[in-house]
Amino acid sequence: MPVWVELAIRVLAVVGAFLTLPLLVGQTEHKVMAHMQGRLGPMYAGAFHGWAQLIADGVKFVQKEDITPRDADRQVFRLAPVIALVPYLVVLLVIPLGPSGLVAQPLDIGLFFVLAVVGVGVVAVLMAAWASANKYALLGGLRAAAQLLGYELPFVLAAASVAMAAGTLSLSGIVDAWRPWWLLWQAPALFVFFVAGLAEIRRPPFDMPIADSELVFGYMTEYTGLRFAFFLLAEYVGIVVIAALTTVLFLGGWKGPFLDAELGWLWTLLKVGAVSFVVIWLRVAYPRLREDQLQRLCWLVLVPLSLVQLILTVGVKVAL
């Protein structure tokens, strides 16, 4: 098979996952929240178990009028939702799904690349906040910038711990080096990475930048129709990306106790689904953190814990 054909197939597969997995996560969130909170509406759309709820949401967004505020910076305002989506699409290109090169584009510095690209999300938030010409949007954007810049540090430190343990920045190499006992000595890094990842994608209980009871809808206040839907899609793609990174870095990726290596991609998807469920469950189970609580958790808990984990990792590597 020619190289360009193989590359095209890989890219198309990633684009298909980019368009499909977030919708599955969104549909699952509707159902999980309906069961946990006794919501009746999402269980009736389309009759059987509310199968058409996601379709109804899509039709609703398409029908909504596309409004741009009169005083807004129109070009930046319209570009922000696209910038919110692009980094996650790029990240999916380098996340390995299985062994034997089952990845769109393997990189020797894949982890470094992922951490750099994920941080671009704050640019889209600031673009939306500033271009909206709305004080509530601007307040939400500033909150988001403070949150994302703060939680970026423990996010990176936790990832550095597992990279140090594996001795490589390659995501596939990290999975190859992973052993089940890492679940114990890398557990603090797993906790820090997952919590900081939730804050990075602004999921509850870290949704202070949106805080609809205080800031209308934060930096998305002035967005309607498909542009608003793009921001929501970016949130769900973010869930998939954080779940996939958690799986690859800390849960062994395609490694599992029963299936052979050829079906390793199934283990990866199952683990991503399980982590995504935890993300949804946390939205239902925990109230939003106040700004002071959010920053205190970052600087007084996650950062020191991630530094202790780095020291532990160095000690174990030297001992072994």
Side-chain angles (χ1 to χ4, degrees):
M1 181 184 297
V3 175
W4 67 269
V5 175
E6 181 180 356
L7 181 61
I9 292 175
R10 290 173 181 263
V11 171
L12 288 176
V14 170
V15 172
F18 176 78
L19 297 175
T20 304
L21 292 179
L23 297 181
L24 293 177
V25 171
Q27 180 76 344
T28 302
E29 182 170 62
H30 279 305
K31 304 310 171 188
V32 170
M33 293 179 65
H35 283 292
M36 288 184 172
Q37 297 182 325
R39 296 184 176 190
L40 299 180
M43 306 303 292
Y44 280 88
F48 179 71
H49 210 68
W51 66 269
Q53 179 63 48
L54 200 63
I55 298 175
D57 287 340
V59 172
K60 175 186 69 175
F61 283 123
V62 170
Q63 290 179 334
K64 285 183 177 292
E65 183 179 1
D66 183 15
I67 300 174
T68 301
R70 180 184 57 194
D71 297 328
D73 186 329
R74 292 179 176 271
Q75 291 184 344
V76 177
F77 182 85
R78 294 171 178 173
L79 188 60
V82 178
I83 301 299
L85 279 170
V86 169
Y88 296 126
L89 174 60
V90 175
V91 168
L92 287 176
L93 289 172
V94 300
I95 295 180
L97 186 61
S100 305
L102 193 57
V103 55
Q105 181 57 52
L107 291 178
D108 292 336
I109 56 169
L111 180 59
F112 178 82
F113 176 81
V114 165
L115 296 176
V117 172
V118 168
V120 176
V122 68
V123 176
V125 172
L126 291 175
M127 288 173 62
W130 181 260
S132 294
N134 180 296
K135 61 183 179 182
Y136 295 107
L138 182 58
L139 285 172
L142 294 177
R143 283 185 176 185
Q147 176 175 316
L148 296 181
L149 292 176
Y151 278 85
E152 189 77 19
L153 180 57
F155 188 71
V156 172
L157 289 176
S161 173
V162 72
M164 187 183 301
T168 179
L169 289 174
S170 167
L171 294 177
S172 298
I174 291 174
V175 178
D176 288 333
W178 184 88
R179 297 295 181 269
W181 66 279
W182 284 25
L183 291 172
L184 296 177
W185 75 295
Q186 290 295 324
L190 168 60
F191 171 78
V192 171
F193 185 87
F194 180 70
V195 173
L198 288 181
E200 286 287 310
I201 59 176
R202 301 169 295 282
R203 284 285 299 185
F206 301 97
D207 58 338
M208 181 58 67
I210 297 174
D212 51 310
S213 60
E214 303 172 20
L215 299 176
V216 187
F217 219 69
Y219 58 89
M220 294 188 286
T221 297
E222 297 292 350
Y223 283 90
T224 60
L226 286 178
R227 290 194 178 91
F228 183 77
F230 285 163
F231 272 117
L232 293 184
L233 180 61
E235 177 181 330
Y236 288 124
V237 180
I239 294 175
V240 174
V241 167
I242 294 300
L245 289 175
T246 303
T247 297
V248 168
L249 296 178
F250 298 98
L251 301 180
W254 57 78
K255 294 183 178 180
F258 304 118
L259 300 179
D260 57 31
E262 295 302 322
L263 294 177
W265 59 268
L266 182 57
W267 273 117
T268 302
L269 293 179
L270 289 174
K271 293 175 183 178
V272 169
V275 177
S276 299
F277 173 82
V278 174
V279 174
I280 296 170
W281 170 71
L282 287 174
R283 173 178 180 175
V284 178
Y286 286 90
R288 179 186 305 127
L289 295 177
R290 297 195 314 264
E291 183 68 22
D292 61 315
Q293 294 172 331
L294 189 146
Q295 295 297 341
R296 188 180 300 115
L297 174 64
C298 175
W299 296 106
L300 298 183
V301 178
L302 298 186
V303 171
L305 186 59
S306 60
L307 291 174
V308 170
Q309 175 65 60
L310 278 177
I311 295 172
L312 173 63
T313 301
V314 171
V316 172
K317 291 292 289 183
V318 170
L320 296 179

